[in-house]
Amino acid sequence: METTFLLDDFSHFYSFFQDGTNSFQDGTNSFPDGSGGGGGGGGGGRKRKSGAGGGDDGVGLKEIIASLLMLDEEEKVDQEKWVLDSDNERALLEENHRMRAQAMNEYRADMVERFGEMEESESSRVKRARRSAPAVAAAAAASAASDNVGSESSSQPAGQHRRLWVKDRSKAWWEWCNHPDFPEEEFRRAFRMSRATFNMICDELDSVVTKKDTMLRLAIPVRQRVAVCIWRLATGEPLRLVSKRFGLGISTCHKLVLEVCAAIKSVLMPKFLQWPEEEKLKTVKDEFESISGIPSVGGSMYTTHIPIIAPKVNVAAYFNKRHTERNQKTSYSVTVQGVVDPNGIFTDVSIGWPGSMSDEKVLEQSSLYQRANSGLLRDVWVVGGSGYPLLDWIMVPYTHHNLTWTQHAFNEKIGDIQRVSKAAFARLKGRWSCLQKRTEVKLLDLPVVLGACCVLHNICEMRKEEMDPELNFDLFDDEMIPENGLRSASSAQARDRVAHDLLHHGLAGNAFL
């Protein structure tokens, strides 16, 4: 376009000068006034000289225009040649790419075919080995019988064959623990329960945990499966030590812990961890009233934190700021909210919410909160600490400054009820040491493990299992005052009436004096 524009301009100038030259050559006057047309000799001479000069200029301009036209033609030729070369190069690249793609597709098809043949060959070999295994075992048994080795030696070839599949590990410790002569105190120290309670748990889980023997290996007995899980929860020892104790692989121990915990949750939790029925709830209210003098209390609620390894996702949500500031070490945790009866037995749990959440937020996410808002908790109080809000069904202590004697007396009685749940959580963490340290269990599987610990705690409490004093654990859970601690005006009035009755009926203590 730029070349065309220049040519058009030069054509304009060329026509202009060409017209001027012709006018001079024809002897016509190019001026409007006609001057310079008919003078004397001198005038005619000047006219001829001017006409000759005009001719020379016209010839020079023609040569310039011709040169420009030649340059334009050369540029057009070069451009056409460049376009042709580019087309040829692109065609060559496309052909090369097509040939390479075809070669890769042929190679891939060849490899797929070879791998298919290898898989078919391997599958056929495995099938032949499986079909021939009974014949080999029968031949080995027949050979052993012909040598008169006896019934015990006849099973020896199978044991030798199994060693190809199972690493030979010592089971001496577990076999001694499982022996009837093993001391009861040592058994209780190892598994945090008596042998009778352990046997009861094994009987309850037998139908769910039992596995069948295979041709390659013998199934792990139910008692050993349950023992691996309980010992791991009780001691909190790493899986490599569990593996040495029970003579099993590390991955096998990890799998057993999760399987048994899942069985405890599905089989034992409906039996040993449930909100009390109407008759049982009345007994619970009477026992709490005898402790504190506050009527209609159906449970004591508390929330604790379980340390975990920093997760790979949503790490900020599990960051426990309060524990980090106290311990001067970065802490991550999940929460366990529980309601207990006067005997420290859990009647409701909410497990697994991130450690950055306050007690108030954890409560709002629990199924207990949903049931209460649906009207299923009527005429019953659940007593919580200062970290919970005052609701129609939750009774909490006074938290403002400058309390009256009546309010101090009420807080003292609320503290008596709160100590029941705190003591229960202290026994829970003391009995099951895995809750005291950062666990190796994945975050997704952790609620099942924590739920199993709560169920086992209930079983031990119900069966009056004594806990070694050395296992006592001190709780360090901070309580944050909720932003809106008073959500129910009717509950505030009810709390004031209870506080008034405690003080004026002689039921309040005097520790606040």
Side-chain angles (χ1 to χ4, degrees):
M1 294 296 295
E2 182 180 0
T3 305
T4 304
F5 177 77
L6 291 174
L7 289 176
D8 291 341
D9 292 344
F10 284 125
S11 299
H12 172 71
F13 289 121
Y14 174 73
S15 61
F16 174 76
F17 284 107
Q18 187 176 21
D19 292 342
T21 304
N22 292 334
S23 64
F24 280 111
Q25 289 176 352
D26 294 340
T28 61
N29 190 354
S30 60
F31 300 99
D33 57 357
S35 60
R46 286 193 299 271
K47 180 179 179 181
R48 287 192 300 270
K49 184 176 180 180
S50 174
D56 294 339
D57 292 339
V59 173
L61 184 60
K62 289 181 180 180
E63 292 178 355
I64 292 174
I65 298 300
S67 300
L68 292 174
L69 292 174
M70 292 178 61
L71 291 174
D72 181 54
E73 291 296 331
E74 290 179 359
E75 184 177 358
K76 287 183 178 179
V77 173
D78 292 340
Q79 184 175 4
E80 291 176 356
K81 183 179 179 181
W82 179 82
V83 171
L84 182 61
D85 292 342
S86 299
D87 293 340
N88 292 336
E89 185 177 359
R90 181 173 59 186
L92 181 62
L93 290 175
E94 291 178 352
E95 179 66 18
N96 188 19
H97 173 72
R98 186 186 63 79
M99 294 178 62
R100 286 177 177 270
Q102 182 179 359
M104 290 298 296
N105 291 333
E106 293 176 355
Y107 176 76
R108 179 179 178 277
D110 183 54
M111 293 300 296
V112 170
E113 183 179 359
R114 290 187 181 182
F115 278 113
E117 294 175 354
M118 292 174 61
E119 290 180 356
E120 292 179 359
S121 176
E122 181 67 17
S123 177
S124 301
R125 186 187 66 79
V126 171
K127 291 180 180 179
R128 289 195 301 270
R130 289 179 177 177
R131 287 195 296 266
S132 62
V136 173
S143 176
S146 63
D147 294 338
N148 296 324
V149 179
S151 60
E152 292 184 0
S153 62
S154 64
S155 63
Q156 185 64 24
Q160 294 177 356
H161 181 69
R162 287 178 61 242
R163 278 199 293 270
L164 297 175
W165 298 88
V166 182
K167 183 178 179 179
D168 188 15
R169 295 182 174 90
S170 175
K171 297 183 175 64
W173 184 84
W174 162 242
E175 291 174 352
W176 171 232
C177 288
N178 197 33
H179 196 274
D181 295 336
F182 189 71
E184 180 70 19
E185 289 299 323
E186 294 187 17
F187 189 93
R188 188 188 303 274
R189 188 178 299 110
F191 297 98
R192 307 295 196 262
M193 63 182 65
S194 64
R195 192 186 300 272
T197 301
F198 178 83
N199 293 339
M200 184 274 292
I201 295 175
C202 292
D203 293 340
E204 292 283 346
L205 301 179
D206 183 81
S207 61
V208 181
V209 177
T210 301
K211 302 294 181 181
K212 295 182 179 180
D213 297 339
T214 65
M215 292 185 299
L216 301 179
R217 65 185 70 193
L218 299 176
I220 302 173
V222 173
R223 292 179 60 84
Q224 188 175 4
R225 289 172 174 268
V226 176
V228 168
C229 177
I230 294 180
W231 194 82
R232 160 79 164 148
L233 299 179
T235 62
E237 297 292 349
L239 290 172
R240 58 182 181 83
L241 295 183
V242 181
S243 171
K244 291 182 179 180
R245 286 280 186 174
F246 292 90
L248 300 172
I250 294 178
S251 60
T252 301
C253 292
H254 178 67
K255 182 180 178 181
L256 290 179
V257 171
L258 296 181
E259 287 181 354
V260 175
C261 286
I264 291 174
K265 181 177 181 294
S266 60
V267 176
L268 299 182
M269 182 173 283
K271 297 180 179 180
F272 297 98
L273 201 160
Q274 289 295 322
W275 188 259
E277 299 293 339
E278 191 65 31
E279 291 297 327
K280 177 63 176 176
L281 185 59
K282 185 178 183 303
T283 303
V284 170
K285 291 180 180 179
D286 294 340
E287 292 181 1
F288 271 123
E289 188 171 3
S290 64
I291 294 174
S292 63
I294 301 177
S296 301
V297 175
S300 177
M301 182 166 57
Y302 187 78
T303 300
T304 190
H305 290 256
I306 307 299
I308 62 172
I309 298 175
K312 296 182 180 179
V313 295
N314 295 330
V315 63
Y318 294 89
F319 176 69
N320 192 321
K321 180 180 179 181
R322 290 161 288 172
H323 286 198
T324 299
E325 292 175 351
R326 181 192 300 110
N327 303 327
Q328 298 298 314
K329 183 178 180 181
T330 305
S331 300
Y332 301 90
S333 64
V334 296
T335 60
V336 177
Q337 174 190 284
V339 180
V340 303
D341 65 8
N343 298 317
I345 297 173
F346 289 102
T347 57
D348 183 88
V349 291
S350 178
I351 300 172
W353 294 103
S356 63
M357 297 175 62
S358 62
D359 295 350
E360 176 188 13
K361 298 299 182 182
V362 174
L363 172 66
E364 293 174 353
Q365 300 298 327
S366 64
S367 59
L368 179 67
Y369 187 85
Q370 306 301 327
R371 295 201 308 270
N373 288 342
S374 301
L376 299 180
L377 297 181
R378 295 180 179 178
D379 301 326
V380 61
W381 291 107
V382 175
V383 174
S386 58
Y388 300 100
L390 179 64
L391 302 176
D392 292 335
W393 54 281
I394 294 183
M395 183 71 74
V396 298
Y398 293 97
T399 56
H400 59 271
H401 299 287
N402 302 323
L403 301 179
T404 64
W405 284 13
T406 303
Q407 294 169 346
H408 275 295
F410 176 82
N411 284 0
E412 180 184 346
K413 290 303 180 180
I414 287 289
D416 292 339
I417 300 177
Q418 271 294 96
R419 277 188 283 274
V420 175
S421 57
K422 292 189 67 173
F425 271 100
R427 291 196 299 275
L428 173 71
K429 287 190 173 183
R431 182 177 278 121
W432 310 113
S433 299
C434 67
L435 306 180
Q436 303 175 19
K437 58 185 72 174
R438 297 187 299 176
T439 179
E440 301 169 350
V441 180
K442 293 181 180 179
L443 198 60
L444 186 63
D445 301 323
L446 192 56
V448 177
V449 176
L450 299 181
C453 291
C454 294
V455 174
L456 294 175
H457 166 86
N458 280 7
I459 293 175
C460 293
E461 294 293 322
M462 292 178 181
R463 296 176 67 90
K464 307 298 182 183
E465 294 286 351
E466 297 181 359
M467 194 173 73
D468 193 337
E470 297 179 356
L471 301 177
N472 291 337
F473 182 79
D474 295 329
L475 291 178
F476 296 101
D477 292 307
D478 299 323
E479 294 181 344
M480 298 177 59
I481 305 300
E483 296 179 0
N484 184 14
L486 182 60
R487 300 188 185 179
S488 173
S490 60
S491 296
Q493 295 175 0
R495 181 174 63 175
D496 292 339
R497 286 195 300 269
V498 172
H500 180 272
D501 293 341
L502 288 176
L503 184 64
H504 291 83
H505 288 82
L507 299 177
N510 55 7
F512 62 91
L513 296 176

